[in-house]
Amino acid sequence: MNFDDKYVPNKPLDAAVTAMKKMSDPLKENEITDLFQKRPIWSKNALKCNIDVPPEKLKILLPVVAYYCVTGPWRSLWVRFGYDPRKDPESICYQVLDFRLRQSATAAELPVKAKRSTFNYALPLSIHRPGPQVVQVKDFAYTKNMQNGSQISDDIRKVTDKNKLQYIFQEGSLPPYRQMFYQFEDIHNERLQDIIQSNVQTEQCDEKEGWCQQETLNKLRDLMSEMVKLTVKATSND
């Protein structure tokens, strides 16, 4: 779906339903349906960390319960059928932030690799493309207590699994790729959440900023870049 489409899809394509029936795993279908009832918008990386299902099965299950956004504030994300985030200001917490490590001497020292563009993602039942390159995540201890006021459940809030850094931003840990797509709800930092909450607008959903005021995304990127720089500097002194 594109941002300027008039209506959002309210049901899956027949081909998607047929593919799911061939898979014959109703338990996993119920599990992913429950996840979208609790949270209407997910990134694929976040789902991989919250449901125990092989990637090839997840690719079949997703288009049965959600539609894929190609453009707009929720681009590269999966949205529950019938839910239109453009009409709901509270959907700001699910918006995506395209965060890229800036070219600098510090960035050159980071032990992370480039990630493919989100727009190279192959939609289910479409042309197959090679998967992303697997990289090792270098994690650093970070024990500061944080309450960000978002709707993240306690089990997701506690980042103890390195794989969760595939979708969660946490100060004191390096992102696994030089380009990351973070949902606001998955940014686990009080100062960053304060920027989001203090820059909400409810007049009209903008294709670039969504339910944020202008320049909010750049403010978030600036602070996140500083946090990554400090993490690199702290570890280089160890």
Side-chain angles (χ1 to χ4, degrees):
M1 175 187 167
N2 293 305
F3 181 80
D4 56 0
D5 287 346
K6 189 173 182 180
Y7 301 107
V8 301
N10 57 17
K11 63 179 182 179
L13 297 174
D14 291 341
V17 176
T18 300
M20 188 274 296
K21 288 180 178 178
K22 289 181 180 179
M23 187 184 75
S24 184
D25 195 343
L27 184 61
K28 292 302 179 184
E29 182 187 359
N30 292 338
E31 190 174 343
I32 198 169
T33 298
D34 288 342
L35 286 176
F36 275 94
Q37 289 301 320
K38 296 175 182 176
R39 169 171 164 169
I41 305 177
W42 288 83
S43 70
K44 193 174 182 182
N45 280 341
L47 285 168
K48 286 179 180 178
C49 293
N50 287 276
I51 185 172
D52 183 19
V53 60
E56 61 273 14
K57 284 191 175 182
L58 182 60
K59 186 177 181 179
I60 295 173
L61 287 169
L62 269 173
V64 177
V65 297
Y67 63 89
Y68 184 77
C69 284
V70 179
T71 61
W74 300 276
R75 66 189 179 280
S76 78
L77 304 180
W78 289 88
V79 184
R80 185 179 67 214
F81 282 122
Y83 180 66
D84 191 344
R86 300 169 301 180
K87 298 180 180 180
D88 182 11
E90 292 187 4
S91 66
I92 185 175
C93 64
Y94 308 119
Q95 286 184 209
V96 69
L97 175 69
D98 182 352
F99 176 66
R100 309 181 189 196
L101 298 179
R102 294 166 179 171
Q103 296 298 322
S104 65
T106 301
E109 299 171 2
L110 296 179
V112 297
K113 298 182 179 181
K115 185 177 184 180
R116 65 173 183 170
S117 169
T118 182
F119 299 107
N120 286 338
Y121 177 75
L123 288 174
L125 308 178
S126 66
I127 299 174
H128 174 73
R129 295 185 178 90
Q133 183 179 12
V134 177
V135 301
Q136 295 297 319
V137 179
K138 186 175 181 180
D139 193 21
F140 299 93
Y142 181 67
T143 57
K144 178 181 177 182
N145 291 325
M146 183 271 295
Q147 295 293 332
N148 62 25
S150 71
Q151 301 173 3
I152 308 169
S153 60
D154 290 341
D155 58 329
I156 296 178
R157 191 189 308 276
K158 298 175 181 178
V159 186
T160 57
D161 185 346
K162 288 183 180 181
N163 287 334
K164 288 188 176 180
L165 293 177
Q166 298 285 335
Y167 75 99
I168 287 176
F169 180 85
Q170 178 173 289
E171 186 177 6
S173 297
L174 291 179
Y177 300 101
R178 291 182 180 274
Q179 181 181 14
M180 296 292 296
F181 298 92
Y182 294 113
Q183 288 183 260
F184 285 178
E185 183 163 286
D186 298 326
I187 296 175
H188 290 195
N189 181 271
E190 186 174 3
R191 287 186 293 165
L192 293 166
Q193 288 296 328
D194 285 344
I195 291 176
I196 296 171
Q197 297 303 319
S198 61
N199 285 279
V200 176
Q201 61 85 17
T202 58
E203 294 181 4
Q204 184 176 358
C205 185
D206 180 76
E207 182 171 0
K208 178 183 177 182
E209 302 279 349
W211 294 107
C212 295
Q213 297 180 25
Q214 296 297 315
E215 295 303 316
T216 302
L217 302 183
N218 285 335
K219 292 176 182 178
L220 292 171
R221 293 186 185 105
D222 288 344
L223 183 52
M224 291 166 73
S225 294
E226 287 302 314
M227 290 178 177
V228 171
K229 280 184 180 180
L230 290 175
T231 298
V232 173
K233 186 176 295 185
T235 56
S236 63
N237 293 332
D238 290 346

